[in-house]
PDB file of all heavy atoms in Angstrom:
ATOM      1  N   ASP A 108       1.103  19.599  12.021  1.00 94.00           N
ATOM      2  CA  ASP A 108       1.286  19.396  13.448  1.00 94.00           C
ATOM      3  C   ASP A 108       0.714  18.038  13.840  1.00 94.00           C
ATOM      4  O   ASP A 108      -0.360  17.657  13.384  1.00 94.00           O
ATOM      5  CB  ASP A 108       0.611  20.513  14.239  1.00 94.00           C
ATOM      6  CG  ASP A 108       1.483  20.951  15.398  1.00 94.00           C
ATOM      7  OD1 ASP A 108       2.458  20.234  15.698  1.00 94.00           O
ATOM      8  OD2 ASP A 108       1.185  21.995  16.005  1.00 94.00           O
ATOM      9  N   VAL A 127       7.685  11.815  21.428  1.00 88.00           N
ATOM     10  CA  VAL A 127       7.757  11.481  20.005  1.00 88.00           C
ATOM     11  C   VAL A 127       6.943  12.431  19.143  1.00 88.00           C
ATOM     12  O   VAL A 127       7.155  12.493  17.935  1.00 88.00           O
ATOM     13  CB  VAL A 127       7.303  10.035  19.724  1.00 88.00           C
ATOM     14  CG1 VAL A 127       8.314   9.048  20.230  1.00 88.00           C
ATOM     15  CG2 VAL A 127       5.935   9.764  20.293  1.00 88.00           C
ATOM     16  N   SER A 132       6.040  14.940  13.912  1.00 92.00           N
ATOM     17  CA  SER A 132       5.517  15.986  13.036  1.00 92.00           C
ATOM     18  C   SER A 132       6.609  16.536  12.138  1.00 92.00           C
ATOM     19  O   SER A 132       6.346  16.873  10.979  1.00 92.00           O
ATOM     20  CB  SER A 132       4.788  17.075  13.809  1.00 92.00           C
ATOM     21  OG  SER A 132       5.613  17.740  14.671  1.00 92.00           O
ATOM     22  N   LYS A 133       7.847  16.562  12.624  1.00 93.00           N
ATOM     23  CA  LYS A 133       8.964  16.969  11.755  1.00 93.00           C
ATOM     24  C   LYS A 133       9.160  15.953  10.630  1.00 93.00           C
ATOM     25  O   LYS A 133       9.322  16.304   9.462  1.00 93.00           O
ATOM     26  CB  LYS A 133      10.239  17.083  12.615  1.00 93.00           C
ATOM     27  CG  LYS A 133      11.531  17.307  11.862  1.00 93.00           C
ATOM     28  CD  LYS A 133      11.682  18.757  11.513  1.00 93.00           C
ATOM     29  CE  LYS A 133      12.882  19.134  10.680  1.00 93.00           C
ATOM     30  NZ  LYS A 133      13.769  18.160  10.175  1.00 93.00           N
ATOM     31  N   ASP A 137       8.755  16.687   6.666  1.00 92.00           N
ATOM     32  CA  ASP A 137       9.886  16.387   5.782  1.00 92.00           C
ATOM     33  C   ASP A 137       9.448  15.472   4.653  1.00 92.00           C
ATOM     34  O   ASP A 137       9.777  15.689   3.487  1.00 92.00           O
ATOM     35  CB  ASP A 137      11.007  15.677   6.554  1.00 92.00           C
ATOM     36  CG  ASP A 137      11.901  16.653   7.282  1.00 92.00           C
ATOM     37  OD1 ASP A 137      11.793  17.851   6.988  1.00 92.00           O
ATOM     38  OD2 ASP A 137      12.689  16.218   8.128  1.00 92.00           O
ATOM     39  N   SER A 141       9.439  16.580   0.834  1.00 88.00           N
ATOM     40  CA  SER A 141      10.443  16.017  -0.073  1.00 88.00           C
ATOM     41  C   SER A 141       9.837  15.066  -1.085  1.00 88.00           C
ATOM     42  O   SER A 141      10.453  14.792  -2.116  1.00 88.00           O
ATOM     43  CB  SER A 141      11.586  15.349   0.710  1.00 88.00           C
ATOM     44  OG  SER A 141      11.116  14.276   1.461  1.00 88.00           O
ATOM     45  N   GLN A 269       9.945   6.030  -6.278  1.00 90.00           N
ATOM     46  CA  GLN A 269      11.104   6.755  -5.743  1.00 90.00           C
ATOM     47  C   GLN A 269      11.176   6.549  -4.235  1.00 90.00           C
ATOM     48  O   GLN A 269      10.143   6.463  -3.559  1.00 90.00           O
ATOM     49  CB  GLN A 269      10.945   8.249  -6.017  1.00 90.00           C
ATOM     50  CG  GLN A 269      11.130   8.646  -7.439  1.00 90.00           C
ATOM     51  CD  GLN A 269      12.568   8.994  -7.738  1.00 90.00           C
ATOM     52  OE1 GLN A 269      13.363   8.128  -8.088  1.00 90.00           O
ATOM     53  NE2 GLN A 269      12.926  10.243  -7.597  1.00 90.00           N
ATOM     54  N   LEU A 270      12.386   6.513  -3.722  1.00 92.00           N
ATOM     55  CA  LEU A 270      12.567   6.381  -2.278  1.00 92.00           C
ATOM     56  C   LEU A 270      12.494   7.780  -1.656  1.00 92.00           C
ATOM     57  O   LEU A 270      13.339   8.621  -1.941  1.00 92.00           O
ATOM     58  CB  LEU A 270      13.919   5.741  -1.982  1.00 92.00           C
ATOM     59  CG  LEU A 270      14.245   5.498  -0.518  1.00 92.00           C
ATOM     60  CD1 LEU A 270      13.553   4.249  -0.026  1.00 92.00           C
ATOM     61  CD2 LEU A 270      15.727   5.365  -0.324  1.00 92.00           C
ATOM     62  N   VAL A 271      11.476   8.022  -0.842  1.00 93.00           N
ATOM     63  CA  VAL A 271      11.336   9.331  -0.223  1.00 93.00           C
ATOM     64  C   VAL A 271      12.097   9.377   1.097  1.00 93.00           C
ATOM     65  O   VAL A 271      12.699  10.371   1.447  1.00 93.00           O
ATOM     66  CB  VAL A 271       9.849   9.672  -0.009  1.00 93.00           C
ATOM     67  CG1 VAL A 271       9.690  11.015   0.667  1.00 93.00           C
ATOM     68  CG2 VAL A 271       9.124   9.680  -1.337  1.00 93.00           C
ATOM     69  N   SER A 272      12.064   8.284   1.821  1.00 93.00           N
ATOM     70  CA  SER A 272      12.786   8.274   3.088  1.00 93.00           C
ATOM     71  C   SER A 272      13.093   6.849   3.510  1.00 93.00           C
ATOM     72  O   SER A 272      12.292   5.939   3.291  1.00 93.00           O
ATOM     73  CB  SER A 272      11.937   8.972   4.153  1.00 93.00           C
ATOM     74  OG  SER A 272      12.365   8.605   5.429  1.00 93.00           O
ATOM     75  N   LEU A 273      14.275   6.667   4.040  1.00 93.00           N
ATOM     76  CA  LEU A 273      14.606   5.396   4.682  1.00 93.00           C
ATOM     77  C   LEU A 273      15.089   5.767   6.067  1.00 93.00           C
ATOM     78  O   LEU A 273      16.164   6.326   6.224  1.00 93.00           O
ATOM     79  CB  LEU A 273      15.666   4.637   3.897  1.00 93.00           C
ATOM     80  CG  LEU A 273      15.745   3.154   4.282  1.00 93.00           C
ATOM     81  CD1 LEU A 273      15.980   2.302   3.068  1.00 93.00           C
ATOM     82  CD2 LEU A 273      16.807   2.893   5.307  1.00 93.00           C
ATOM     83  N   TYR A 274      14.246   5.507   7.042  1.00 93.00           N
ATOM     84  CA  TYR A 274      14.459   6.057   8.366  1.00 93.00           C
ATOM     85  C   TYR A 274      14.721   4.927   9.333  1.00 93.00           C
ATOM     86  O   TYR A 274      13.873   4.094   9.576  1.00 93.00           O
ATOM     87  CB  TYR A 274      13.186   6.821   8.760  1.00 93.00           C
ATOM     88  CG  TYR A 274      13.296   7.670   9.988  1.00 93.00           C
ATOM     89  CD1 TYR A 274      13.870   8.923   9.928  1.00 93.00           C
ATOM     90  CD2 TYR A 274      12.803   7.222  11.198  1.00 93.00           C
ATOM     91  CE1 TYR A 274      13.956   9.723  11.054  1.00 93.00           C
ATOM     92  CE2 TYR A 274      12.881   8.019  12.334  1.00 93.00           C
ATOM     93  CZ  TYR A 274      13.464   9.266  12.245  1.00 93.00           C
ATOM     94  OH  TYR A 274      13.542  10.051  13.365  1.00 93.00           O
ATOM     95  N   LYS A 275      15.931   4.893   9.853  1.00 93.00           N
ATOM     96  CA  LYS A 275      16.249   3.897  10.873  1.00 93.00           C
ATOM     97  C   LYS A 275      17.014   4.618  11.962  1.00 93.00           C
ATOM     98  O   LYS A 275      18.206   4.864  11.829  1.00 93.00           O
ATOM     99  CB  LYS A 275      17.090   2.772  10.294  1.00 93.00           C
ATOM    100  CG  LYS A 275      17.487   1.755  11.368  1.00 93.00           C
ATOM    101  CD  LYS A 275      18.497   0.760  10.872  1.00 93.00           C
ATOM    102  CE  LYS A 275      18.741  -0.307  11.911  1.00 93.00           C
ATOM    103  NZ  LYS A 275      19.816   0.035  12.854  1.00 93.00           N
ATOM    104  N   PRO A 276      16.363   5.008  13.049  1.00 90.00           N
ATOM    105  CA  PRO A 276      17.096   5.664  14.109  1.00 90.00           C
ATOM    106  C   PRO A 276      17.658   4.635  15.084  1.00 90.00           C
ATOM    107  O   PRO A 276      16.963   4.159  15.972  1.00 90.00           O
ATOM    108  CB  PRO A 276      16.036   6.536  14.774  1.00 90.00           C
ATOM    109  CG  PRO A 276      14.748   5.839  14.491  1.00 90.00           C
ATOM    110  CD  PRO A 276      14.946   4.874  13.381  1.00 90.00           C
ATOM    111  N   GLY A 277      18.889   4.293  14.934  1.00 84.00           N
ATOM    112  CA  GLY A 277      19.544   3.382  15.872  1.00 84.00           C
ATOM    113  C   GLY A 277      18.904   2.013  15.922  1.00 84.00           C
ATOM    114  O   GLY A 277      18.392   1.519  14.926  1.00 84.00           O
ATOM    115  N   GLY A 278      18.939   1.406  17.092  1.00 83.00           N
ATOM    116  CA  GLY A 278      18.407   0.054  17.246  1.00 83.00           C
ATOM    117  C   GLY A 278      19.534  -0.945  17.299  1.00 83.00           C
ATOM    118  O   GLY A 278      20.593  -0.715  16.723  1.00 83.00           O
ATOM    119  N   VAL A 282      21.560  -3.200   9.972  1.00 86.00           N
ATOM    120  CA  VAL A 282      20.878  -3.540   8.723  1.00 86.00           C
ATOM    121  C   VAL A 282      21.911  -3.741   7.630  1.00 86.00           C
ATOM    122  O   VAL A 282      22.748  -2.884   7.401  1.00 86.00           O
ATOM    123  CB  VAL A 282      19.910  -2.421   8.304  1.00 86.00           C
ATOM    124  CG1 VAL A 282      19.092  -2.869   7.122  1.00 86.00           C
ATOM    125  CG2 VAL A 282      19.016  -2.067   9.442  1.00 86.00           C
ATOM    126  N   TYR A 283      21.828  -4.866   6.964  1.00 87.00           N
ATOM    127  CA  TYR A 283      22.707  -5.113   5.827  1.00 87.00           C
ATOM    128  C   TYR A 283      21.923  -4.888   4.546  1.00 87.00           C
ATOM    129  O   TYR A 283      20.696  -4.790   4.544  1.00 87.00           O
ATOM    130  CB  TYR A 283      23.283  -6.518   5.912  1.00 87.00           C
ATOM    131  CG  TYR A 283      24.173  -6.681   7.107  1.00 87.00           C
ATOM    132  CD1 TYR A 283      23.678  -7.132   8.317  1.00 87.00           C
ATOM    133  CD2 TYR A 283      25.505  -6.303   7.034  1.00 87.00           C
ATOM    134  CE1 TYR A 283      24.482  -7.232   9.433  1.00 87.00           C
ATOM    135  CE2 TYR A 283      26.321  -6.392   8.143  1.00 87.00           C
ATOM    136  CZ  TYR A 283      25.815  -6.864   9.337  1.00 87.00           C
ATOM    137  OH  TYR A 283      26.630  -6.937  10.432  1.00 87.00           O
ATOM    138  N   THR A 284      22.677  -4.822   3.446  1.00 88.00           N
ATOM    139  CA  THR A 284      22.051  -4.487   2.169  1.00 88.00           C
ATOM    140  C   THR A 284      20.859  -5.389   1.864  1.00 88.00           C
ATOM    141  O   THR A 284      19.816  -4.923   1.401  1.00 88.00           O
ATOM    142  CB  THR A 284      23.096  -4.616   1.049  1.00 88.00           C
ATOM    143  OG1 THR A 284      24.266  -3.935   1.482  1.00 88.00           O
ATOM    144  CG2 THR A 284      22.607  -4.018  -0.234  1.00 88.00           C
ATOM    145  N   GLN A 288      17.002  -4.294   1.060  1.00 92.00           N
ATOM    146  CA  GLN A 288      16.272  -4.668  -0.150  1.00 92.00           C
ATOM    147  C   GLN A 288      14.939  -5.340   0.189  1.00 92.00           C
ATOM    148  O   GLN A 288      13.909  -5.052  -0.443  1.00 92.00           O
ATOM    149  CB  GLN A 288      17.122  -5.600  -1.009  1.00 92.00           C
ATOM    150  CG  GLN A 288      18.063  -4.818  -1.903  1.00 92.00           C
ATOM    151  CD  GLN A 288      19.210  -5.649  -2.427  1.00 92.00           C
ATOM    152  OE1 GLN A 288      19.519  -6.704  -1.888  1.00 92.00           O
ATOM    153  NE2 GLN A 288      19.825  -5.168  -3.479  1.00 92.00           N
ATOM    154  N   ARG A 295       7.110  -1.817  -1.396  1.00 94.00           N
ATOM    155  CA  ARG A 295       6.531  -1.740  -2.750  1.00 94.00           C
ATOM    156  C   ARG A 295       5.161  -2.396  -2.792  1.00 94.00           C
ATOM    157  O   ARG A 295       4.208  -1.839  -3.329  1.00 94.00           O
ATOM    158  CB  ARG A 295       7.447  -2.453  -3.756  1.00 94.00           C
ATOM    159  CG  ARG A 295       8.646  -1.651  -4.119  1.00 94.00           C
ATOM    160  CD  ARG A 295       8.907  -1.656  -5.622  1.00 94.00           C
ATOM    161  NE  ARG A 295       9.968  -0.708  -5.892  1.00 94.00           N
ATOM    162  CZ  ARG A 295      11.261  -1.038  -5.857  1.00 94.00           C
ATOM    163  NH1 ARG A 295      11.622  -2.275  -5.652  1.00 94.00           N
ATOM    164  NH2 ARG A 295      12.177  -0.115  -6.060  1.00 94.00           N
TER     165      ARG A 295
ATOM    166  N   LYS B  92      11.636  21.908  16.660  1.00 88.00           N
ATOM    167  CA  LYS B  92      11.353  20.541  16.211  1.00 88.00           C
ATOM    168  C   LYS B  92      12.562  19.846  15.595  1.00 88.00           C
ATOM    169  O   LYS B  92      12.805  18.681  15.887  1.00 88.00           O
ATOM    170  CB  LYS B  92      10.205  20.561  15.205  1.00 88.00           C
ATOM    171  CG  LYS B  92       8.849  20.497  15.868  1.00 88.00           C
ATOM    172  CD  LYS B  92       7.777  20.426  14.815  1.00 88.00           C
ATOM    173  CE  LYS B  92       6.433  20.765  15.408  1.00 88.00           C
ATOM    174  NZ  LYS B  92       5.445  21.083  14.383  1.00 88.00           N
ATOM    175  N   GLU B  96      14.229  16.297  16.916  1.00 92.00           N
ATOM    176  CA  GLU B  96      14.444  15.114  16.091  1.00 92.00           C
ATOM    177  C   GLU B  96      15.897  14.656  16.205  1.00 92.00           C
ATOM    178  O   GLU B  96      16.177  13.468  16.361  1.00 92.00           O
ATOM    179  CB  GLU B  96      14.090  15.407  14.631  1.00 92.00           C
ATOM    180  CG  GLU B  96      13.949  14.145  13.824  1.00 92.00           C
ATOM    181  CD  GLU B  96      13.884  14.381  12.332  1.00 92.00           C
ATOM    182  OE1 GLU B  96      14.232  15.478  11.866  1.00 92.00           O
ATOM    183  OE2 GLU B  96      13.503  13.428  11.635  1.00 92.00           O
ATOM    184  N   MET B  99      16.461  12.844  19.424  1.00 93.00           N
ATOM    185  CA  MET B  99      15.903  11.495  19.404  1.00 93.00           C
ATOM    186  C   MET B  99      16.803  10.539  18.605  1.00 93.00           C
ATOM    187  O   MET B  99      17.096   9.430  19.045  1.00 93.00           O
ATOM    188  CB  MET B  99      14.497  11.553  18.797  1.00 93.00           C
ATOM    189  CG  MET B  99      13.819  10.222  18.655  1.00 93.00           C
ATOM    190  SD  MET B  99      13.179   9.621  20.204  1.00 93.00           S
ATOM    191  CE  MET B  99      11.487  10.159  20.076  1.00 93.00           C
ATOM    192  N   ARG B 103      18.849   7.354  20.211  1.00 92.00           N
ATOM    193  CA  ARG B 103      18.658   5.971  19.761  1.00 92.00           C
ATOM    194  C   ARG B 103      19.960   5.385  19.214  1.00 92.00           C
ATOM    195  O   ARG B 103      20.257   4.219  19.418  1.00 92.00           O
ATOM    196  CB  ARG B 103      17.594   5.928  18.653  1.00 92.00           C
ATOM    197  CG  ARG B 103      16.242   6.422  19.093  1.00 92.00           C
ATOM    198  CD  ARG B 103      15.290   5.246  19.253  1.00 92.00           C
ATOM    199  NE  ARG B 103      13.988   5.688  19.665  1.00 92.00           N
ATOM    200  CZ  ARG B 103      12.975   5.911  18.816  1.00 92.00           C
ATOM    201  NH1 ARG B 103      13.148   5.728  17.517  1.00 92.00           N
ATOM    202  NH2 ARG B 103      11.813   6.298  19.273  1.00 92.00           N
ATOM    203  N   SER B 107      22.259   2.239  20.916  1.00 91.00           N
ATOM    204  CA  SER B 107      22.576   0.984  20.237  1.00 91.00           C
ATOM    205  C   SER B 107      24.064   0.667  20.270  1.00 91.00           C
ATOM    206  O   SER B 107      24.443  -0.474  20.050  1.00 91.00           O
ATOM    207  CB  SER B 107      22.060   1.012  18.808  1.00 91.00           C
ATOM    208  OG  SER B 107      22.800   1.926  18.063  1.00 91.00           O
ATOM    209  N   GLU B 206      28.831 -10.718   5.098  1.00 67.00           N
ATOM    210  CA  GLU B 206      29.050  -9.274   5.143  1.00 67.00           C
ATOM    211  C   GLU B 206      29.727  -8.891   6.453  1.00 67.00           C
ATOM    212  O   GLU B 206      29.274  -9.294   7.523  1.00 67.00           O
ATOM    213  CB  GLU B 206      27.726  -8.525   4.997  1.00 67.00           C
ATOM    214  CG  GLU B 206      27.332  -8.345   3.553  1.00 67.00           C
ATOM    215  CD  GLU B 206      26.250  -7.286   3.391  1.00 67.00           C
ATOM    216  OE1 GLU B 206      25.077  -7.598   3.591  1.00 67.00           O
ATOM    217  OE2 GLU B 206      26.600  -6.145   3.051  1.00 67.00           O
ATOM    218  N   PRO B 207      30.803  -8.112   6.386  1.00 76.00           N
ATOM    219  CA  PRO B 207      31.464  -7.713   7.630  1.00 76.00           C
ATOM    220  C   PRO B 207      30.592  -6.766   8.443  1.00 76.00           C
ATOM    221  O   PRO B 207      29.685  -6.134   7.908  1.00 76.00           O
ATOM    222  CB  PRO B 207      32.727  -7.009   7.144  1.00 76.00           C
ATOM    223  CG  PRO B 207      32.452  -6.611   5.759  1.00 76.00           C
ATOM    224  CD  PRO B 207      31.477  -7.587   5.203  1.00 76.00           C
ATOM    225  N   GLY B 211      27.045  -3.030   8.281  1.00 87.00           N
ATOM    226  CA  GLY B 211      25.692  -2.880   8.824  1.00 87.00           C
ATOM    227  C   GLY B 211      25.370  -1.418   9.070  1.00 87.00           C
ATOM    228  O   GLY B 211      26.238  -0.647   9.455  1.00 87.00           O
ATOM    229  N   ILE B 212      24.127  -1.032   8.863  1.00 90.00           N
ATOM    230  CA  ILE B 212      23.738   0.354   9.094  1.00 90.00           C
ATOM    231  C   ILE B 212      23.177   0.463  10.502  1.00 90.00           C
ATOM    232  O   ILE B 212      22.268  -0.274  10.856  1.00 90.00           O
ATOM    233  CB  ILE B 212      22.646   0.796   8.103  1.00 90.00           C
ATOM    234  CG1 ILE B 212      23.041   0.449   6.673  1.00 90.00           C
ATOM    235  CG2 ILE B 212      22.374   2.273   8.227  1.00 90.00           C
ATOM    236  CD1 ILE B 212      21.873   0.478   5.737  1.00 90.00           C
ATOM    237  N   ILE B 213      23.719   1.378  11.295  1.00 92.00           N
ATOM    238  CA  ILE B 213      23.124   1.631  12.611  1.00 92.00           C
ATOM    239  C   ILE B 213      21.958   2.598  12.432  1.00 92.00           C
ATOM    240  O   ILE B 213      20.862   2.369  12.908  1.00 92.00           O
ATOM    241  CB  ILE B 213      24.154   2.248  13.587  1.00 92.00           C
ATOM    242  CG1 ILE B 213      25.343   1.317  13.781  1.00 92.00           C
ATOM    243  CG2 ILE B 213      23.495   2.535  14.915  1.00 92.00           C
ATOM    244  CD1 ILE B 213      26.402   1.885  14.679  1.00 92.00           C
ATOM    245  N   THR B 214      22.213   3.685  11.747  1.00 93.00           N
ATOM    246  CA  THR B 214      21.195   4.713  11.576  1.00 93.00           C
ATOM    247  C   THR B 214      21.198   5.182  10.134  1.00 93.00           C
ATOM    248  O   THR B 214      22.263   5.298   9.511  1.00 93.00           O
ATOM    249  CB  THR B 214      21.495   5.903  12.512  1.00 93.00           C
ATOM    250  OG1 THR B 214      21.439   5.443  13.851  1.00 93.00           O
ATOM    251  CG2 THR B 214      20.492   7.022  12.332  1.00 93.00           C
ATOM    252  N   SER B 215      20.021   5.414   9.620  1.00 93.00           N
ATOM    253  CA  SER B 215      19.906   5.954   8.265  1.00 93.00           C
ATOM    254  C   SER B 215      18.784   6.972   8.256  1.00 93.00           C
ATOM    255  O   SER B 215      17.651   6.662   8.616  1.00 93.00           O
ATOM    256  CB  SER B 215      19.600   4.827   7.281  1.00 93.00           C
ATOM    257  OG  SER B 215      18.977   5.353   6.134  1.00 93.00           O
ATOM    258  N   THR B 217      17.128   9.957   5.693  1.00 92.00           N
ATOM    259  CA  THR B 217      17.239  10.565   4.366  1.00 92.00           C
ATOM    260  C   THR B 217      16.275  11.737   4.254  1.00 92.00           C
ATOM    261  O   THR B 217      15.238  11.770   4.897  1.00 92.00           O
ATOM    262  CB  THR B 217      16.932   9.560   3.241  1.00 92.00           C
ATOM    263  OG1 THR B 217      15.552   9.213   3.320  1.00 92.00           O
ATOM    264  CG2 THR B 217      17.766   8.314   3.358  1.00 92.00           C
ATOM    265  N   HIS B 218      16.656  12.671   3.436  1.00 90.00           N
ATOM    266  CA  HIS B 218      15.794  13.807   3.111  1.00 90.00           C
ATOM    267  C   HIS B 218      15.736  13.922   1.604  1.00 90.00           C
ATOM    268  O   HIS B 218      16.753  13.784   0.941  1.00 90.00           O
ATOM    269  CB  HIS B 218      16.369  15.097   3.676  1.00 90.00           C
ATOM    270  CG  HIS B 218      16.164  15.238   5.139  1.00 90.00           C
ATOM    271  ND1 HIS B 218      15.119  15.922   5.675  1.00 90.00           N
ATOM    272  CD2 HIS B 218      16.870  14.743   6.178  1.00 90.00           C
ATOM    273  CE1 HIS B 218      15.186  15.856   6.986  1.00 90.00           C
ATOM    274  NE2 HIS B 218      16.242  15.142   7.321  1.00 90.00           N
ATOM    275  N   GLY B 219      14.579  14.196   1.068  1.00 89.00           N
ATOM    276  CA  GLY B 219      14.457  14.359  -0.376  1.00 89.00           C
ATOM    277  C   GLY B 219      14.277  13.027  -1.067  1.00 89.00           C
ATOM    278  O   GLY B 219      14.673  11.989  -0.553  1.00 89.00           O
ATOM    279  N   ALA B 220      13.652  13.065  -2.246  1.00 89.00           N
ATOM    280  CA  ALA B 220      13.364  11.826  -2.969  1.00 89.00           C
ATOM    281  C   ALA B 220      14.543  11.428  -3.837  1.00 89.00           C
ATOM    282  O   ALA B 220      15.180  12.263  -4.463  1.00 89.00           O
ATOM    283  CB  ALA B 220      12.122  12.014  -3.832  1.00 89.00           C
ATOM    284  N   MET B 221      14.855  10.155  -3.822  1.00 90.00           N
ATOM    285  CA  MET B 221      15.901   9.623  -4.697  1.00 90.00           C
ATOM    286  C   MET B 221      15.464   8.234  -5.124  1.00 90.00           C
ATOM    287  O   MET B 221      14.554   7.652  -4.527  1.00 90.00           O
ATOM    288  CB  MET B 221      17.242   9.583  -3.974  1.00 90.00           C
ATOM    289  CG  MET B 221      17.260   8.737  -2.719  1.00 90.00           C
ATOM    290  SD  MET B 221      18.907   8.662  -2.012  1.00 90.00           S
ATOM    291  CE  MET B 221      18.664   9.382  -0.412  1.00 90.00           C
ATOM    292  N   SER B 222      16.113   7.698  -6.160  1.00 90.00           N
ATOM    293  CA  SER B 222      15.739   6.351  -6.560  1.00 90.00           C
ATOM    294  C   SER B 222      16.394   5.364  -5.601  1.00 90.00           C
ATOM    295  O   SER B 222      17.358   5.691  -4.911  1.00 90.00           O
ATOM    296  CB  SER B 222      16.159   6.088  -8.001  1.00 90.00           C
ATOM    297  OG  SER B 222      17.553   6.015  -8.060  1.00 90.00           O
ATOM    298  N   TYR B 226      20.165   5.231  -3.502  1.00 92.00           N
ATOM    299  CA  TYR B 226      20.376   4.999  -2.081  1.00 92.00           C
ATOM    300  C   TYR B 226      21.457   3.949  -1.873  1.00 92.00           C
ATOM    301  O   TYR B 226      22.326   4.106  -1.022  1.00 92.00           O
ATOM    302  CB  TYR B 226      19.070   4.578  -1.407  1.00 92.00           C
ATOM    303  CG  TYR B 226      19.229   4.339   0.073  1.00 92.00           C
ATOM    304  CD1 TYR B 226      19.362   5.401   0.944  1.00 92.00           C
ATOM    305  CD2 TYR B 226      19.301   3.051   0.577  1.00 92.00           C
ATOM    306  CE1 TYR B 226      19.539   5.195   2.288  1.00 92.00           C
ATOM    307  CE2 TYR B 226      19.478   2.827   1.939  1.00 92.00           C
ATOM    308  CZ  TYR B 226      19.594   3.907   2.791  1.00 92.00           C
ATOM    309  OH  TYR B 226      19.788   3.696   4.119  1.00 92.00           O
ATOM    310  N   PHE B 227      21.406   2.898  -2.677  1.00 92.00           N
ATOM    311  CA  PHE B 227      22.430   1.860  -2.521  1.00 92.00           C
ATOM    312  C   PHE B 227      23.808   2.380  -2.916  1.00 92.00           C
ATOM    313  O   PHE B 227      24.812   1.980  -2.338  1.00 92.00           O
ATOM    314  CB  PHE B 227      22.047   0.614  -3.321  1.00 92.00           C
ATOM    315  CG  PHE B 227      20.968  -0.186  -2.649  1.00 92.00           C
ATOM    316  CD1 PHE B 227      19.708  -0.298  -3.204  1.00 92.00           C
ATOM    317  CD2 PHE B 227      21.212  -0.792  -1.432  1.00 92.00           C
ATOM    318  CE1 PHE B 227      18.707  -1.006  -2.562  1.00 92.00           C
ATOM    319  CE2 PHE B 227      20.217  -1.504  -0.778  1.00 92.00           C
ATOM    320  CZ  PHE B 227      18.962  -1.614  -1.343  1.00 92.00           C
ATOM    321  N   ARG B 234      30.075   3.624   3.012  1.00 90.00           N
ATOM    322  CA  ARG B 234      30.867   2.584   3.667  1.00 90.00           C
ATOM    323  C   ARG B 234      32.351   2.784   3.403  1.00 90.00           C
ATOM    324  O   ARG B 234      33.175   2.673   4.306  1.00 90.00           O
ATOM    325  CB  ARG B 234      30.467   1.214   3.119  1.00 90.00           C
ATOM    326  CG  ARG B 234      29.292   0.638   3.830  1.00 90.00           C
ATOM    327  CD  ARG B 234      28.830  -0.602   3.136  1.00 90.00           C
ATOM    328  NE  ARG B 234      27.530  -0.995   3.669  1.00 90.00           N
ATOM    329  CZ  ARG B 234      26.619  -1.637   2.975  1.00 90.00           C
ATOM    330  NH1 ARG B 234      26.836  -1.959   1.721  1.00 90.00           N
ATOM    331  NH2 ARG B 234      25.482  -1.946   3.529  1.00 90.00           N
TER     332      ARG B 234
END
Side-chain angles (χ1 to χ4, degrees):
Chain A
D108 221 348
V127 289
S132 63
K133 172 81 184 4
D137 277 347
S141 63
Q269 288 270 88
L270 182 80
V271 178
S272 160
L273 197 141
Y274 191 81
K275 177 189 186 271
V282 187
Y283 295 92
T284 312
Q288 275 161 342
R295 283 225 172 88
Chain B
K92 273 184 197 164
E96 195 192 16
M99 177 77 96
R103 299 254 180 96
S107 69
E206 276 196 278
I212 310 163
I213 300 178
T214 298
S215 157
T217 67
H218 284 265
M221 59 176 119
S222 70
Y226 181 75
F227 284 113
R234 274 172 192 150

